[in-house]
Amino acid sequence: MKTAPLTRFRSLAAAALMSVAGLSLSTGMATAEVTAFKQAIAETAAQDDALSAFYRDNGYQPIWVGDDEDDLNRRAALLKVLEVAGEHGLPADRYRPEDVRAMLASARSTRDRGRIEVEMSRLFLRFATDKNTGILNPNKVVSGIKREVPVRDRLQMLKDFETSLPLAYLRGLTPTSPEYTRLVREKLKLEQQIEQGGWGAQVNAGSLKPGDQGQQVVALRDRLIALDYLRRSATQVYDDEMQGAVAEFQRDNGLTDDGIAGSSTIEKINIGPEARMGQIMVALERERWMNIDRGKRHIWVNLTDFKAKIIDDGEVTFETRSVIGKDVPDRETPEFSDVMNHMVINPSWYIPRSIIVNEYLPVLRSNPHALSYLEITDSRGRVVNRGRGFSQYSARTFPYSMRQPPSARNALGLVKFMFPNKYNIYLHDTPAKNLFSRERRAFSHGCIRLADPFDFAYALLAKQSDDPKATFHNYLNTGRETRVNLEQPVPVHLVYRTAYTKPAGGMEYRRDVYGRDADILAALRAAGVEIPRTGS
């Protein structure tokens, strides 16, 4: 914050006015102009609490439109970063540095400069918030996103900026994750590809396999070359090298990597760069929403990838397949972050009310002795006599709870991993192992099932046990429901990324399972984000 005396401020304001209007001011007139400058700031900032507080606290002194070196540097820094806002997938027309220059050049009075001062601070806050934590409010775009976006306090941003090196501060607003940096790099590469006309002709074949040859194999070859999966060649045969390239492409797109270009593979190969650019734009916005410390060790569950991972110091140290919520509105797995603090070995399944009344009550009304592996209990935990029947109850009036005791048949399997949250979402084992062989694995009521839950438990317990496997099985072999606390709680991030980078370069893409990214992309377009097109 500036500490210059009022006389210096008056001379600055007067000099600023003279530089614009060419006026020669008397001391009395200079004082009047300073008062007008302050009044213009106060009036223009009046409807914004952060701006009003900032200028009230600093005595209505300028940080942009003065002629001292600090103000000049701030103006130059802001204009510089606004020029390249589009590189970050931000809506460039929302900032328009050329309008700032025109506004400054058109100032004809001290009141004009006061209004411009506030408008530049308003523009700074808009850009700073957009770049740091996103353009959109995710909860208003997609109901399944429960994430708390770490939006910075606007007043504090102004105060911090005023006392910082301007360009360093503005550049420091960029999300700190390596993924964000890689996404920006891949976006720029894809823009160049689009400018050059895209990835060429599509493959017009139902399927292609090793040994095939002809024009469509050539089209597949050329597409794989353009996509950087195959080195340049003149082959017209679906040979071993092409099979390997197809398999790598399949892995990068979440497909079974058999090296055969079936209909699903060809569909993905034919997706154009504009569509992929849209996915990258959404991924950038999602990274801005997660501009947080994710933890040196954390659990990362990408719903679209159907995998759960443990990340240690940026490296994947454990990975397993997962099953997520079914793609119907009341079963989709939400997105949020929390902290895992314990696991339950030999868990009971306390059945959610929605499942009881919507799925189990209709069965019990017809046959009260059905679902015998489930306990039906009253409000005191006493087991209910099924002989009385349940036909008299509706979904609204059914008064009982239901529980499945620990067993290998338990719907939660033999272990569940808890990060207590109001959505009642957790990770767990399952007896339905056959689902993990599916390519697309959205089958649960919302919780996340793990293909290798025991190994997941060993990896977590390794931080607090010399023999994590023995520790786990000592509890398991009792058959009793047992809570095991994690001595070092682990952050859990449930995310939804249809586009993400490979650390060594290149992209991976996944299906928009719940249609969330389509909604976000539409909202980004509505906010002014532009997706480059080939013009074809």
Side-chain angles (χ1 to χ4, degrees), residues 305-482:
D305 189 32
F306 307 109
K307 288 180 182 174
K309 301 175 181 179
I310 297 177
I311 312 291
D312 287 288
D313 296 316
E315 299 293 328
V316 177
T317 55
F318 179 83
E319 178 179 311
T320 183
R321 293 187 170 201
S322 67
V323 167
I324 67 170
K326 189 175 176 61
D327 55 339
V328 296
D330 62 338
R331 295 190 183 184
E332 292 181 0
T333 303
E335 302 170 49
F336 63 97
S337 295
D338 217 300
V339 179
M340 183 178 293
N341 57 21
H342 72 279
M343 66 182 72
V344 178
I345 301 172
N346 297 313
S348 294
W349 181 36
Y350 296 91
I351 303 168
R353 176 85 182 169
S354 60
I355 298 177
I356 291 173
V357 299
N358 293 326
E359 298 182 30
Y360 292 165
L361 179 57
V363 177
L364 292 170
R365 283 167 57 89
S366 299
N367 177 7
H369 297 287
L371 308 170
S372 58
Y373 57 92
L374 301 177
E375 290 181 352
I376 302 174
T377 57
D378 63 17
S379 60
R380 296 185 180 181
R382 298 174 300 192
V383 176
V384 171
N385 181 357
R386 292 175 177 242
R388 298 176 182 176
F390 303 99
S391 60
Q392 69 272 35
Y393 297 116
S394 67
R396 183 177 60 83
T397 63
F398 189 72
Y400 303 124
S401 299
M402 298 182 74
R403 166 182 174 267
Q404 185 181 17
S407 76
R409 292 182 56 197
N410 189 287
L412 304 183
L414 294 170
V415 60
K416 66 178 180 178
F417 305 90
M418 303 299 292
F419 41 107
N421 58 82
K422 61 184 177 182
Y423 315 111
N424 200 28
I425 298 295
Y426 43 88
L427 280 59
H428 65 87
D429 182 17
T430 176
K433 303 295 187 185
N434 61 305
L435 297 178
F436 293 106
S437 63
R438 306 282 186 90
E439 191 175 86
R440 188 176 182 282
R441 299 186 291 276
F443 300 105
S444 80
H445 284 84
C447 286
I448 297 152
R449 307 173 189 173
L450 303 180
D452 304 296
F454 287 12
D455 292 329
F456 189 76
Y458 307 156
L460 292 173
L461 292 172
K463 293 290 185 179
Q464 62 194 64
S465 171
D466 293 333
D467 191 344
K469 185 173 182 179
T471 298
F472 179 84
H473 284 276
N474 285 340
Y475 290 118
L476 183 69
N477 293 340
T478 67
R480 295 192 302 271
E481 185 168 355
T482 305

Side-chain angles (χ1 to χ4, degrees), residues 190-200 272-275 531-536:
L190 191 54
E191 282 177 342
Q192 294 172 0
Q193 192 73 48
I194 290 172
E195 289 174 4
Q196 295 167 9
W199 291 322
E274 296 92 345
I531 310 298
R533 301 188 63 83
T534 59
S536 56

Side-chain angles (χ1 to χ4, degrees), residues 262-278:
S263 58
S264 295
T265 298
I266 289 177
E267 178 188 353
K268 295 291 185 293
I269 283 175
N270 283 337
I271 292 175
E274 296 92 345
R276 294 309 193 193
M277 179 64 80

